[in-house]
Amino acid sequence: MNAAMEKHTPRLMVLPTFIILLIISLVPLFYVLGISFTDSTIGRPFSDFVWFENYKKAFTDEVFGTSLINTLVFAFVVTTIQTFLGFVLAFAMQKEKRLSGIFRTLALLPLFTPPVAIAMIWRLIYDPNSGLINHYLLKLGLSGRPIAFLGSKALAFPAIMFADTWQWTPFCFLLCLAALQSLPKDPYEAAMVDGASPWYVFKRLTLQMVAPQVIVIFLFRFLIALKVFDLVYMLTFGGPGNSTQVTSFYIYRIGFKQFQTVYAGALSILVLILISFLALALTKGRELILKRME
Amino acid sequence: MENREGIDFKAVLQKSPKRGPGDYLRMIFIARYGRILLLLLFVGSILLPVLFIGTTSLEEPIEIRSSGAILPSKEITAINWIRAFRNVPLLHYLFNSTVTASIDTTYGRKSERERKPRTVHSPSPYLAQENNP
C-alpha cells in the first residue's frame, strides 16, 4: 500500500457515514427552505413560487410575534432560576458527603420521568376542583375560592415555568455538582493557610474557577428551553388566548392543525436562524465574560 | 480584657468588620443543619408531586375529582392500576421502552469504549538503560 492510499483510507472508510449523515440532516432542511418559497400544499409540492410571501406574512403575524417573545422570556427566566437553584443546591451538597448518594438518586427522579407524565402530574396539581394546591389553599383559608392556575392569563405562564423548574433544576444541579467536584483542592488549602474568609474564598476561588462551566450549563439549558413544547401542549394548549403560546407549539398548530405546512416551514426557518444567531451571541458573550474575569 | 500575650480581644472584635454576605453564606452552607435543611427541602419538593400522583392512583375516580388531599380520605383501591393494565397493553409498551433503552445504552457504551485510546505498555527507557549500560 503506498503512502497516499494509506493516508486516504480512513477518510474513505468514513465517507459513507458522512454522506448518510449529510443527507439525513441537510436534505430535510433544504427541502423545507425550498418549499417555504412556494405556495404548495401537501398534495402539490413545489408549485406556485411566491418567493418571500410566507416570510412577509410571518413578520406581520402578531401571534408569531407573541409566541417568539413568550419563548424568549420563558427560556431566560427558567434558565436563570434553574441554574441559580442548581448551583446553590450543588454548593450545599458538595460539603455533604454522607447523604449525597441518596440526594443525588432522588434528584434524578424528574429526569427519568417522561415529559408527558410530568405534565399530567402538574395538570392534576393545578386542577381547580381536585388539585393539590387549591385543596390546601382553601383548607388553610389562604384563598376564598379555587384558583384556575391554567385558565388564568396571569397565572398560566408562571405555572408552566414552575413545572419546568421542577423538571429541569435537578439537571442543572447535577451538572453544577460535577463542576464543583472537579475543582482542584490546592487553591483552597492555600487560601486557608492565608486566612481568607469564606466569602472571599467563595468569591475569588469557587466562583472564578466554576464560572466557565456554569456559563456552559446556562447556555445548554437555554437552548433546550427555547424548544419547549410538551408542557405547553399538555397543560394549556397555548391558551388562555395566546398567553402561553410558544414558537414550537405555534409551528405545530399551524402545520398539523391548520395544515398550512408551507407557512409552518417558513416559521421553522425563521426560528432556526434566530436560535443560531442567539447561540452565536451567547457563545461570544461567554468568551467576553471569561476574558473579563481573567 | 487582655490575655497572657497582651492581646486585647475586645478591641480586635470591635475592629472586625460588620456581618457581611459571607457570614450569612457560612451560616447556610457551613452550618451542617442549614445545609441538610436546604437539601431536604429540595428533595421534598421533588418527591411531593410524585407522592401526590402515587396516592391519587390509589383513590376511587370519584374521589380524585372531588378531593386534592395528598392522602386518600376513603379506603384505597387498585382499580386504576387494574384498568391501566387491562385497557391498554401497558406491559408491551414497557417492554418496547426497555428494549429501546437497552439497545441504545449498550451501543452507546460500546462506542464509548471503542473511542478510548489504547495504552501501549512499552518497556521503560530507564529499565532498558539499566540492562544495556
Side-chain angles (χ1 to χ4, degrees), chain A residues 147-168:
Chain A
I147 301 167
F149 289 99
L150 302 173
S152 150
K153 273 191 177 182
L155 294 175
F157 215 33
I160 294 176
M161 284 178 183
F162 192 79
D164 191 83
T165 303
W166 181 84
Q167 186 185 356
W168 286 97

Side-chain angles (χ1 to χ4, degrees), chain A residues 92 96 103 130 132 166 199, chain B residues 22 32 35 43 45-46 64 70:
Chain A
E96 199 51 59
F103 282 132
S130 58
L132 177 81
W166 181 84
W199 174 244
Chain B
R32 188 153 187 258
R35 262 189 347 248
V43 170
S45 65
I46 281 177
I64 294 172
I70 293 180

Side-chain angles (χ1 to χ4, degrees), chain A residues 88-89 91-93 95-96 103 106-107 109-110 121-122 124-125 129-132 135-136 166 170 173 198-199 202, chain B residues 21-22 25-26 29-30 32 35-36 38-39 42-43 45-47 49-50 52-53 64-70:
Chain A
V88 168
L89 291 163
F91 193 66
M93 170 76 90
K95 293 182 188 295
E96 199 51 59
F103 282 132
L106 290 172
L109 203 65
I121 292 174
W122 285 98
L124 266 175
I125 289 174
N129 302 314
S130 58
L132 177 81
H135 177 82
Y136 286 101
W166 181 84
F173 158 72
W199 174 244
F202 176 75
Chain B
L25 204 77
R26 184 167 45 197
F29 294 113
I30 298 176
R32 188 153 187 258
R35 262 189 347 248
I36 292 180
L38 192 75
L39 293 170
F42 170 54
V43 170
S45 65
I46 281 177
L47 286 182
V50 181
F52 175 66
I53 205 83
I64 294 172
R65 282 190 213 104
S66 58
S67 162
I70 293 180

Side-chain angles (χ1 to χ4, degrees), chain A residues 43-169:
Chain A
R44 296 185 304 123
F46 290 104
S47 58
D48 306 330
F49 269 85
V50 292
W51 299 108
F52 290 96
E53 279 304 313
N54 288 313
Y55 292 95
K56 275 184 196 167
K57 192 178 162 188
F59 283 115
T60 52
D61 189 345
E62 271 184 32
V63 185
F64 179 62
T66 309
S67 73
L68 210 59
I69 292 166
N70 281 350
T71 310
L72 290 173
V73 169
F74 175 86
F76 185 74
V77 171
V78 297
T79 309
T80 309
I81 294 171
Q82 289 163 16
T83 314
F84 175 74
L85 281 178
F87 181 75
V88 168
L89 291 163
F91 193 66
M93 170 76 90
Q94 189 202 9
K95 293 182 188 295
E96 199 51 59
K97 299 274 183 273
R98 209 183 294 167
L99 299 167
S100 67
I102 305 167
F103 282 132
R104 253 180 295 171
T105 313
L106 290 172
L108 280 170
L109 203 65
L111 287 180
F112 56 65
T113 310
V116 174
I118 288 172
M120 274 308 296
I121 292 174
W122 285 98
R123 207 168 149 173
L124 266 175
I125 289 174
Y126 289 138
D127 194 276
N129 302 314
S130 58
L132 177 81
I133 300 175
N134 272 310
H135 177 82
Y136 286 101
L137 280 178
L138 292 173
K139 207 171 182 183
L140 297 169
L142 296 170
S143 172
R145 57 191 171 84
I147 301 167
F149 289 99
L150 302 173
S152 150
K153 273 191 177 182
L155 294 175
F157 215 33
I160 294 176
M161 284 178 183
F162 192 79
D164 191 83
T165 303
W166 181 84
Q167 186 185 356
W168 286 97
T169 301

Side-chain angles (χ1 to χ4, degrees), chain A residues 213-279:
Chain A
Q213 287 99 313
V214 173
I215 294 170
V216 169
I217 295 165
F218 182 90
L219 291 183
F220 197 47
R221 179 67 199 107
F222 186 79
L223 293 176
I224 297 174
L226 285 174
K227 297 188 289 183
V228 61
F229 176 82
D230 35 35
L231 283 175
V232 174
Y233 179 84
M234 287 292 291
L235 292 178
T236 59
F237 215 75
N242 284 312
S243 60
T244 59
Q245 195 70 258
V246 287
T247 47
S248 331
F249 184 72
Y250 184 60
I251 292 168
Y252 159 78
R253 240 175 61 175
I254 291 286
F256 294 95
K257 292 283 167 190
Q258 298 175 11
F259 294 106
Q260 297 181 43
T261 41
V262 175
Y263 183 47
L267 293 180
S268 308
I269 295 290
L270 280 178
V271 171
L272 181 75
I273 292 167
L274 186 86
I275 291 178
S276 305
F277 272 112
L278 213 60

